[in-house]
Amino acid sequence: MLIKNICCIGAGYVGGPTMAVIAKNNPNINVTIVDINAERIAAWNDTNLDNLPIYEPGLADIVKETRGKNLFFSTNIDKAIDESEMIFISVNTPTKTYGKGKGMAADLKYIELCARNIADVATTDKIVVEKSTLPVRTAEAIKSILHNTGNGINFSILSNPEFLAEGTAISDLLQPDRVLIGGESTDAINSLSKIYEAWVPKSQILTTNLWSSELSKLTANAFLAQRVSSINAISELCEHTGANVNEVAKAIGMDSRIGPKFLNASIGFGGSCFQKDILNLVYIARSYNLTEVADYWEQVIIMNDHQKRRFSDRLIKTLYNTVSGKKIAMLGWAFKKDTNDTRESAAIYVADHLLNEQANIAVYDPKVPYVKMQSDLNYLNTRTEEDNAQGLKASKTPYEALEGAHAIAIMTEWDEFKTYDWKKVYESMKKPAFVFDGRNILDEKEMKSIGFDYFAIGR
Ligand code: NAD
Ligand code: UGA
């Protein structure tokens, strides 16, 4: 099928950057991104590119180049569906918070709504592409909804999971390790492949059956998260034995079978997908009665929760077993650097533990506004909104957050944290001045020579 118009349902962290890159590389295709969230669409259409709803290095430049030419943002979902030959479904698939599978299974209500919406308004044949991360065999349900419309329209379903990481989304999209397309119709696969071939070498475009493609996405995230939990498990052993986790990571990473990437010990992985996707994998395994498989992957999450908890426990223990009334400066709230996304950020959980111990927290993050920090905390429902607002304040500058603090907790690896005048910070703090480097980004020798009591993960 010749594709002239693409519709993408969902203008989020995946839909926005992915479609911007497709539009940039396919100037002859009109790409319309639609969303039910009118505020988000308005932000994507804002003339001031600083107001785009998503911060990603390089994204604003591509939006500037393509928006209004062949990239459009709209709330008119029906019109965009009807006018397109290819529809990407890129809506959120969060963990269920109710009913069967609560806390484990992916909530597919948004996916189903999209499928019903497409079935209702389509008047011509469509290729429907699953871009969202979905449980294996979801395409079966989408197919069933679409094929039961009875209006004679032909729908081809493809699975095309997205592998971008936030903070590096644009470079990941421009130079992907691979593009994965799963499907049954060779014609539909070729139509989608052609779009990617505009900038991705054909040898890196992999085609599989639908179920392999769906399962590969969950498996990739499970393997990546497993590496983080594996090195974090070793970090605890390092702290007890005098081994240094950075040295261990370097030593094992030089084995070409293991490789050097994704071995940074940390306060634990965050983000909207690792936990959600592993929980989903565990749920699927349990639904097939594969108890050992489910338990094996669940351990990755158990280790991650332990890592977050033991970071705050270590801080409290070191501060003479009490942080009550003490000022704790937190550097970073985002779940990793170069993004304004805070979903499942370890900082939220560490702040929650410290607030339980009546600490006064001052946070500085270069991209996350105070209202977001408060709504993240309120979402946990541990204490009243007033108590959260009382216990956690955001600072406009890092020095304001750090001044008079008993301890600093580094939660996100923002590059700017490495450039601070740490002597000046030391002088402004209560003594002894403690630093808990949850990202292992500062120079231990230098920090100790300034006078800090410096603690890092796995050392
Ligand atoms: P997101 O929450 O940022 O965006 C999803 C958007 O879909 C929201 O703006 C929401 O309003 C919209 N939406 C929901 N239902 C809709 C409907 N019926 N009609 C129109 N719009 C609707 O989510 P995201 O981070 O972009 O993730 C989307 C999917 O991609 C998820 O399945 C996720 O697992 C997967 N994924 C995410 C990443 C990532 O880095 N964030 C990477 C790879 C894959
Ligand atoms: C991750 C995957 O890397 C992407 O390939 C995938 O597309 C995406 O999930 C998704 O499906 O949503 P993302 O969560 O955006 O991307 O970011 P990562 O770079 O994977 O980091 C996830 C978390 O792990 C962060 O909190 C990060 O700080 C932490 N991490 C990562 C570590 O603690 N150590 C590491 O060595 C690497």
Side-chain angles (χ1 to χ4, degrees):
M1 189 188 284
L2 181 67
I3 309 296
K4 286 189 183 154
N5 297 287
I6 287 176
C7 162
C8 172
I9 310 180
Y13 282 86
V14 168
T18 314
M19 292 302 127
V21 169
I22 286 184
K24 175 186 160 69
N25 289 290
N26 290 276
N28 298 325
I29 299 180
N30 282 327
V31 180
T32 305
I33 311 180
V34 293
D35 204 295
I36 37 170
N37 183 338
E39 214 180 303
R40 211 167 206 187
I41 290 296
W44 279 113
N45 281 322
D46 201 306
T47 42
N48 181 352
L49 291 164
D50 288 339
N51 293 337
L52 293 184
I54 285 163
Y55 172 72
E56 266 304 329
L59 173 63
D61 289 340
I62 298 181
V63 171
K64 188 176 171 196
E65 185 187 327
T66 51
R67 196 176 58 186
K69 291 192 182 111
N70 69 327
L71 180 67
F72 306 94
F73 296 90
S74 165
T75 49
N76 196 338
I77 301 176
D78 293 358
K79 180 168 180 274
I81 290 174
D82 194 30
E83 288 176 355
S84 59
E85 297 86 30
M86 181 175 277
I87 302 160
F88 287 80
I89 301 181
S90 194
V91 300
N92 37 330
T93 50
T95 305
K96 264 186 101 175
T97 54
Y98 56 89
K100 191 162 179 266
K102 178 181 172 182
M104 297 294 289
D107 191 344
L108 298 180
K109 69 178 170 201
Y110 306 108
I111 296 287
E112 183 173 339
L113 277 172
C114 289
R116 290 190 186 278
N117 204 345
I118 295 168
D120 284 347
V121 304
T123 52
T124 52
D125 291 355
K126 311 278 180 208
I127 297 172
V128 176
V129 185
E130 298 175 345
K131 188 50 119 177
S132 299
T133 302
L134 297 170
V136 57
R137 295 206 76 87
T138 303
E140 204 165 31
I142 296 182
K143 251 194 262 179
S144 158
I145 293 169
L146 293 174
H147 290 160
N148 282 309
T149 56
N151 54 9
I153 290 169
N154 187 27
F155 294 102
S156 291
I157 323 288
L158 297 177
S159 160
N160 172 223
E162 185 47 60
F163 295 100
L164 68 81
E166 290 178 29
T168 52
I170 299 302
S171 55
D172 292 344
L173 286 163
L174 289 173
Q175 285 120 19
D177 285 347
R178 79 312 208 175
V179 166
L180 178 57
I181 304 176
E184 284 160 354
S185 151
T186 313
D187 184 43
I189 292 174
N190 288 342
S191 299
L192 180 55
S193 182
K194 272 219 176 68
I195 290 166
Y196 285 108
E197 282 166 39
W199 80 99
V200 180
K202 211 172 170 179
S203 56
Q204 276 161 254
I205 302 176
L206 189 66
T207 57
T208 65
N209 78 29
L210 272 170
W211 322 123
S212 304
S213 174
E214 288 179 337
L215 186 57
S216 296
K217 174 62 197 176
L218 291 183
T219 307
N221 274 358
F223 270 59
L224 289 167
Q226 182 194 38
R227 268 177 86 91
V228 179
S229 276
S230 296
I231 199 68
N232 281 345
I234 297 302
S235 77
E236 188 170 16
L237 197 52
C238 286
E239 287 164 28
H240 286 271
T241 55
N244 175 329
V245 78
N246 290 348
E247 292 176 354
V248 174
K250 189 167 181 191
I252 64 165
M254 284 173 79
D255 184 325
S256 59
R257 292 167 303 174
I258 296 174
K261 292 183 185 166
F262 247 71
L263 285 177
N264 295 322
S266 68
I267 36 170
F269 58 76
S272 61
C273 294
F274 278 177
Q275 175 164 305
K276 152 179 94 70
D277 293 346
I278 294 179
L279 287 172
N280 187 215
L281 194 66
V282 171
Y283 183 77
I284 293 168
R286 287 211 199 290
S287 72
Y288 288 103
N289 285 325
L290 307 177
T291 307
E292 289 79 3
V293 177
D295 290 350
Y296 177 79
W297 287 107
E298 195 161 33
Q299 199 58 38
V300 174
I301 302 282
I302 292 170
M303 188 61 227
N304 198 50
D305 288 339
H306 173 65
Q307 190 76 350
K308 291 183 267 187
R309 167 62 73 179
R310 81 181 188 84
F311 180 82
S312 30
D313 284 350
R314 188 185 190 194
L315 188 152
I316 295 162
K317 192 169 166 212
T318 311
L319 267 71
Y320 316 107
N321 284 316
T322 177
V323 287
S324 178
K326 291 179 182 169
K327 179 176 179 182
I328 310 295
M330 273 193 166
L331 290 180
W333 190 263
F335 81 97
K336 62 185 285 198
K337 73 171 180 178
D338 292 337
T339 178
N340 61 347
D341 195 348
T342 64
R343 289 177 285 183
E344 288 301 326
S345 178
I348 305 168
Y349 296 94
V350 171
D352 190 52
H353 298 158
L354 296 178
L355 288 174
N356 281 344
E357 297 294 326
Q358 301 182 341
N360 295 323
I361 302 176
V363 192
Y364 169 76
D365 187 291
K367 288 287 173 199
V368 180
Y370 178 58
V371 283
K372 187 78 192 80
M373 297 172 191
Q374 284 301 326
S375 69
D376 288 338
L377 270 181
N378 293 338
Y379 186 74
L380 293 184
N381 218 1
T382 315
R383 61 192 75 72
T384 65
E385 296 192 3
E386 291 71 31
D387 285 348
N388 281 334
Q390 192 60 36
L392 183 136
K393 313 261 185 230
S395 303
K396 290 235 155 34
T397 70
Y399 294 103
E400 186 186 304
L402 297 164
E403 191 179 3
H406 290 258
I408 301 168
I410 298 177
M411 312 309 292
T412 314
E413 71 281 24
W414 286 102
D415 288 337
E416 66 167 68
F417 298 164
K418 296 182 205 161
T419 65
Y420 291 171
D421 182 345
W422 286 104
K423 258 196 188 132
K424 183 175 146 192
V425 172
Y426 177 76
E427 279 153 22
S428 77
M429 285 176 69
K430 293 263 187 317
K431 307 295 178 314
F434 295 99
V435 173
F436 296 86
D437 187 348
R439 295 295 186 160
N440 290 356
I441 54 170
L442 299 178
D443 186 317
E444 180 170 5
K445 262 198 194 139
E446 194 191 324
M447 295 302 278
K448 284 187 169 161
S449 76
I450 292 172
F452 285 107
D453 278 15
Y454 176 82
F455 298 85
I457 303 280
R459 280 185 272 157

